[in-house]
Amino acid sequence: MPTTNNPNHASDSLAARVERHLLHNVGVAPADAGTVDLMSAVSQVARAELSRRWVAGDSADRAAKARRVYYLSMEFLIGRSLGNALAALGLDSAAAGSVGDHARTLEDIQACEPDAALGNGGLGRLAACFLDSMASVGLPSFGYGIRYEFGMFAQSISGGRQIEHPDPWLEDGTPWEFPRPGVHYPVRFGGWVERAESPDAVPVWRHAGEVSAKAYDHVIPGHGTERVSTLRLWKAAAPAHIDLHAFNSGDYARAAEFKNQFENISWVLYPNDSTPAGRELRLRQEYFFTSASIQDILARHLAEHGTLANLSDKVAIHLNDTHPAIGVAELVRLLVDEHGFTWAAAWAMTQKTFSYTNHTLMPEALETWPVALMQQVLPRHLEIIFRINHEFLVQAQALRPGDMEFQRRLSLIDEGGERRVRMANLSIVGSHKVNGVSKLHSDLLVETIFSDFAALWPDRFTNMTNGVTPRRWLTQANPGLTQLIDSRLGTAWRRDLDLLRGLVAQADDPAFRAEFRAVKAHNKHRLAALIHKTTGVTVNPTSLFDVQVKRIHEYKRQLLNLLHVVTRYRAILAQPNAGWVPRVVVFAGKAASSYTTAKNIIRLIHDVGQVINHDARIGDKLKLVFIPNYGVSVAETIMPGADLSEQISTAGTEASGTGNMKLALNGALTIGTDDGANIEIRQNVGDDNIFIFGKKTPEVAAIRAAGYQPMRIYEGNPQLKAVLDSIAAGAFSPDEPARYRPLIDSLLWGGDHYLLLADYEDYVATQAKVDALYRDQEAWSRKAIANVAGMGPFSADRTIREYAAQIWHVAPQA
Ligand SMILES: *Cc1c(COP(=O)(O)O)cnc(C)c1O
């Protein structure tokens, strides 16, 4: 007999369950339910179903005493959860039907969920794609991070300038988190270390402050499996033993201030990318979540095994970049100070437990902390780091006796100027494996910034090329293409993306190509609607959609793209009837709040757009738009509508890129440099199906070594000179003609560090080849299909299987 009290009884129709959640949990009569009410109720139905899978998987892993992987990351750029959860549960069509009863569309319902934007860009999105794949592949796994009260700032544009708004994503609560009031750990700071009497005695850390880390869980559904993964996020709170009311009797302002001292640690995500934030609060954040996570890992292990002696047999801890690197010292501390391990045993265990992913080749982006700051915030950890360093440098000395330069470069402490702890060096020394995120990047790590470590430990370094989850970035973002692929290949490709190779044969079928173009046309209409809604600019959806969407950064060279746009604008004016392929150039991306040059580039994009979009002589031949507030949900509309994917970083600067993968998977052709994963994309889609231009990494190095002279290039190229002169003279900022003089001067006189001028000519010539191909729509769609067909290796499932087999040694469970 079906019980009417159970809101998720399996024999219930989904519509009935939604109605009951409306009545019991949301508190509205089903007939009166609004869009947000329905979002909430549908989410509750999905949540309950996922919870059941979660409990089952968790108890199976406990019973099996499974080896698990713990992925520590400062950022998880998740986006929305409802669509993904319904797809994983196979409830999407039932859900569409149930909200249809209320005269709503599922798309509208989903659109009222705020993005969980707990990340800046690629690094955080990678962590989110990895969680999806860990669950789908069936790895016993946890993600660990911070439950930021405010995620990545929301971006709006005013007068062409970026405005940052706080992102109170938790304001109205979220159905996707499960508070765990019983799970909390003390995290301590400051104070001093009491020197032990005998050398064998355990030192005592007399800390000065303490916060409590409280656990909030998110269930991560797997696709094509009942397995799920867990994302555990930590919120900072005053420890229970501090009685705020007694402490501040009646003085509420002081009480609030006092409470803030504890809670500010998990208040806000640092809006930085590719430049570390050197603030004390950031160091506290890093230690806070790392310490809580490792304490949690040890507690789980002890509950299951009763001993830590076999910790490294059952636990793999992964460092997503150096932000959790202090975990190396924290595990040593916990084992020695609190669990009675000898130093030697603790250190051996630590090295077997950790592995580390590096995300950058740019030395200025490697994280370091002043020794003086670490002494003040984490005195015991600094002591441990010094001892690790001492023993490590003895090893280095044995390999190259007397080579002090070698030791100076390897040292965990940078002794030049203010002494600083090098977090990358700590991560390498504390890990058994270190990986880069594309073949080129991993090769360059060993050849350049980590060459000394590679000389010591060649086997420690390896490659794991990034991937993206095809569930969010194809099935969910692009239902049209998904259905088309299903109609030819069946649905197995969704769990084995290599099966997309089957599309190679389809590319020869004119009917398939026509359907493929119809899907793209539909997606371009959707993108055109988003452009209109967010910018007010009307674009012709039959134009070539040329997109560059990613963080705004000099190394990514949005400015090079813009130089091409201005070049094209001037060329159209000079030769209006030259048979131009109509283009819409789309930018989107945020600039770090403190990054002045990146913000100037955003403003220049808007100023150039103002002129071009309002120039009646240009019409549909060229449009330039900037879609504000780039994030996961915006990306889900942009990727399917793109024809051309701009991946134009200076060779040797982009570690991998994942935006490049999402765009190619949705049938965009790449115009890109020989950089990051572009190289592997070229190898997989074929040289004829991608536009590669520009100086390659060794050439970039040679040009810099020979003394690069951008002024020579400027003087030698009249087209380039005219473009730079027009921007510098105020052609796009007539109200303030000198506005962009500094930006242009940074190229001409400031050394043009990212070699825009060196690559300009080849870039513009390659853009002409893009036009030529686009004129032949049959040829273009063949190549676009070849791109989709070649994207199998860029599934994050492939990446995660490689990590699991070669680094973590964790076995997928059925
Ligand atoms: C994929 C993604 C990125 C990374 O883009 P790149 O082009 O690899 O820099 C950044 N932000 C969001 C929202 C993404 O989805």
Side-chain angles (χ1 to χ4, degrees), residues 458-516:
D459 296 340
R460 192 164 299 192
F461 292 86
T462 185
N463 174 245
M464 295 283 138
T465 299
N466 282 167
V468 299
T469 168
R471 272 74 62 177
R472 185 171 297 260
W473 297 112
L474 182 49
T475 323
Q476 182 176 323
N478 198 341
L481 184 55
T482 299
Q483 277 168 28
L484 177 59
I485 299 172
D486 284 353
S487 76
R488 304 300 162 110
L489 303 183
T491 58
W493 63 270
R494 296 177 181 205
R495 259 156 290 114
D496 179 3
L497 207 64
D498 288 330
L499 296 174
L500 289 179
R501 272 276 167 235
L503 293 177
V504 170
Q506 299 293 328
D508 291 331
D509 174 2
F512 182 79
R513 292 200 302 273
E515 284 181 65
F516 184 87

Side-chain angles (χ1 to χ4, degrees), residues 77 121-122 125 473 549-550 556 630-632 635 647 657-659 662:
L77 189 46
R125 183 55 228 176
W473 297 112
V549 292
K550 48 183 76 244
K556 292 175 181 282
Y630 187 56
V632 173
Q647 308 299 337
T658 49
K662 300 165 198 167

